[in-house]
Amino acid sequence: MKVLEERIRKEGLILSDTVLKVDSFLNHQVDTGLALQTGREFKEVFGHLPVTKILTVEASGIQFAMAAGIAFSVPFIYAKKKKAVTLSEDVYSAPVHSFTRGEDYQISISQKYLGPEDKVLIVDDFLATGAALVGLADIVEQSGAQLLGVGCVIEKSFQEGRSLLEKRGIAVHALARISSMAPGEVHFIANEELIKESAGC
Amino acid sequence: MKVLEERIRKEGLILSDTVLKVDSFLNHQVDTGLALQTGREFKEVFGHLPVTKILTVEASGIQFAMAAGIAFSVPFIYAKKKKAVTLSEDVYSAPVHSFTRGEDYQISISQKYLGPEDKVLIVDDFLATGAALVGLADIVEQSGAQLLGVGCVIEKSFQEGRSLLEKRGIAVHALARISSMAPGEVHFIANEELIKESAGC
């Protein structure tokens, strides 16, 4: 997604070779039009699949799940992050380790909103270590729903997230794929072809 | 907003005379079409005002701020919730007491994204005690921006949030105003007229 790569070049704040801040237009202040456009892009890629629900995790996935929900005309669910989930709650949950914050938390969704009849597209802002996305994939598995793919806005391709997901047979698409970065410079991978043939798992 | 009142009647889970859960369609699983419609409703009410930014707080305000951002064609900002804000950060912040969780936290936004040139509409899912919304209003004040109004999806009119805001001269509009509720029943206040005349402060 060229316009996204341009915005990252212009407005992204690269603090180190792993830390990129995009909070002027994606995940603190949000360019509403650009967010909407990410939804249309995900529709381009996954639109041939019978998606019934979009799944993301709070908070910074919500605007992109909303955009995808609009493009697909389906509801979205955002998993909650908590320090701990009590066993009494009727939730699907998965542990996630945040490398950024050096802490563990649980993500969970109510069992009421996902079941074997659902076909799910997971959407999030970043794909890096893949920790949160693998947790979301676990939740889909627990629910018995079918996972049709993962769509991310920005991928740090030099981290292991994509390979963790692809090893599980999950189709992954990222709108901007960063191959390397350092303060003052960022390099992108030319995006893959539409993954219509391989999507679905 | 009739369709919203109907959904609350049908799908809202009233756990006590103060606790209403709407997580099947508003703030866990989200009916994308309904969320979009809330944005159009806020545009109906506040659309004559020169709004430059929508402001909300993570996480459950995001989908409604996004909807309002779409309707107004402006960016939105979501304040972050933290236990504590370090003084070194260049943020506007305000303390908030959560009555639901019995804890205090800070909400904050980067100083980069709000300034005296901005005209702000605050949007959130619930107006009850008003704690988070008063905090957001404080943040707007710190930034020197002009606060044009507050739009909420659901108001618990039997709590003091609205009067706290109106005392400060802030125009408030809620799409569904609950006058009272108890398990199995909910009563709404017929909504006010469009507040075009009084909006702006």
Side-chain angles (χ1 to χ4, degrees):
Chain A
M1 190 174 161
K2 278 291 162 211
V3 60
L4 178 63
E5 292 180 4
E6 282 314 307
R7 291 293 288 275
I8 294 169
R9 278 188 213 282
K10 268 196 214 160
E11 296 181 45
L13 208 59
I14 301 169
L15 301 181
S16 74
D17 55 1
T18 57
V19 179
L20 166 66
K21 287 188 75 172
V22 287
D23 65 5
S24 68
F25 62 107
L26 286 184
N27 56 16
H28 178 31
Q29 176 168 254
V30 181
D31 179 328
T32 316
L34 185 67
L36 271 178
Q37 199 175 338
T38 66
R40 291 192 296 268
E41 293 280 329
F42 289 133
K43 183 71 161 47
E44 275 290 307
V45 177
F46 295 104
H48 61 297
L49 298 172
V51 174
T52 63
K53 289 200 179 161
I54 309 292
L55 177 64
T56 192
V57 60
E58 66 179 5
S60 55
I62 294 177
Q63 54 272 32
F64 306 108
M66 170 98 167
I70 291 168
F72 283 86
S73 300
V74 299
F76 70 94
I77 304 169
Y78 53 96
K80 312 273 180 140
K81 283 181 187 169
K82 290 183 189 172
K83 288 280 175 201
V85 172
T86 58
L87 282 177
S88 61
E89 295 176 79
D90 295 333
V91 296
Y92 303 117
S93 70
V96 173
H97 177 74
S98 165
F99 291 88
T100 320
R101 301 185 184 182
E103 62 182 20
D104 295 299
Y105 58 93
Q106 295 276 331
I107 58 174
S108 65
I109 69 164
S110 167
Q111 293 183 0
K112 285 185 283 190
Y113 307 131
L114 210 57
E117 68 286 4
D118 284 309
K119 295 172 193 304
V120 178
L121 176 65
I122 292 174
V123 165
D124 206 359
D125 57 346
F126 273 99
L127 168 59
T129 66
L133 290 162
V134 166
L136 288 173
D138 286 343
I139 280 176
V140 174
E141 203 168 295
Q142 289 167 40
S143 76
Q146 188 184 355
L147 180 55
L148 297 179
V150 168
C152 283
V153 179
I154 299 176
E155 176 186 347
K156 295 175 183 167
S157 306
F158 49 88
Q159 291 188 286
E160 70 279 23
R162 175 182 286 263
S163 71
L164 286 178
L165 293 167
E166 288 182 340
K167 260 183 218 160
R168 294 172 61 154
I170 299 168
V172 177
H173 185 83
L175 303 183
R177 304 185 65 193
I178 297 172
S179 56
S180 69
M181 62 185 194
E185 59 173 312
V186 56
H187 301 282
F188 295 98
I189 300 176
N191 220 325
E192 67 254 68
E193 292 302 301
L194 292 187
I195 50 175
K196 289 196 178 180
E197 294 69 28
S198 62
C201 53
Chain B
M1 190 175 161
K2 278 291 160 210
V3 60
L4 177 63
E5 292 181 3
E6 282 314 306
R7 291 293 288 275
I8 294 169
R9 277 189 214 282
K10 267 196 213 160
E11 296 181 45
L13 207 59
I14 302 170
L15 301 181
S16 74
D17 55 2
T18 57
V19 179
L20 166 66
K21 288 188 74 173
V22 287
D23 65 4
S24 67
F25 62 106
L26 286 183
N27 57 16
H28 179 31
Q29 177 168 255
V30 180
D31 179 329
T32 316
L34 185 67
L36 272 178
Q37 199 176 337
T38 66
R40 292 192 296 267
E41 293 279 329
F42 290 132
K43 183 71 161 44
E44 275 290 305
V45 176
F46 295 104
H48 62 297
L49 298 172
V51 173
T52 64
K53 289 199 180 162
I54 309 292
L55 177 64
T56 191
V57 59
E58 66 179 5
S60 54
I62 294 177
Q63 54 272 32
F64 306 108
M66 170 98 168
I70 292 168
F72 283 86
S73 300
V74 299
F76 69 94
I77 304 169
Y78 53 96
K80 312 273 181 140
K81 283 181 187 168
K82 289 183 189 173
K83 288 279 175 202
V85 172
T86 58
L87 282 177
S88 61
E89 295 176 79
D90 295 332
V91 297
Y92 303 117
S93 70
V96 173
H97 178 73
S98 165
F99 290 89
T100 320
R101 301 185 184 181
E103 62 182 21
D104 295 299
Y105 58 93
Q106 295 276 330
I107 58 174
S108 65
I109 69 164
S110 167
Q111 293 183 1
K112 285 185 283 189
Y113 307 131
L114 210 57
E117 68 286 4
D118 283 309
K119 295 172 193 305
V120 178
L121 176 64
I122 292 174
V123 165
D124 206 359
D125 57 345
F126 273 98
L127 168 58
T129 65
L133 291 162
V134 166
L136 288 173
D138 286 343
I139 280 176
V140 174
E141 203 168 295
Q142 288 167 40
S143 75
Q146 188 185 354
L147 180 55
L148 298 178
V150 168
C152 283
V153 179
I154 299 177
E155 176 187 347
K156 294 175 184 167
S157 305
F158 49 88
Q159 290 187 286
E160 70 279 23
R162 176 182 285 263
S163 72
L164 287 177
L165 294 166
E166 288 183 340
K167 260 183 218 160
R168 294 172 62 154
I170 299 168
V172 177
H173 186 84
L175 303 182
R177 303 185 65 193
I178 297 172
S179 55
S180 68
M181 62 186 194
E185 59 173 312
V186 56
H187 302 281
F188 295 98
I189 300 177
N191 220 325
E192 66 254 69
E193 292 302 301
L194 292 187
I195 50 175
K196 290 196 177 178
E197 294 69 28
S198 62
C201 53

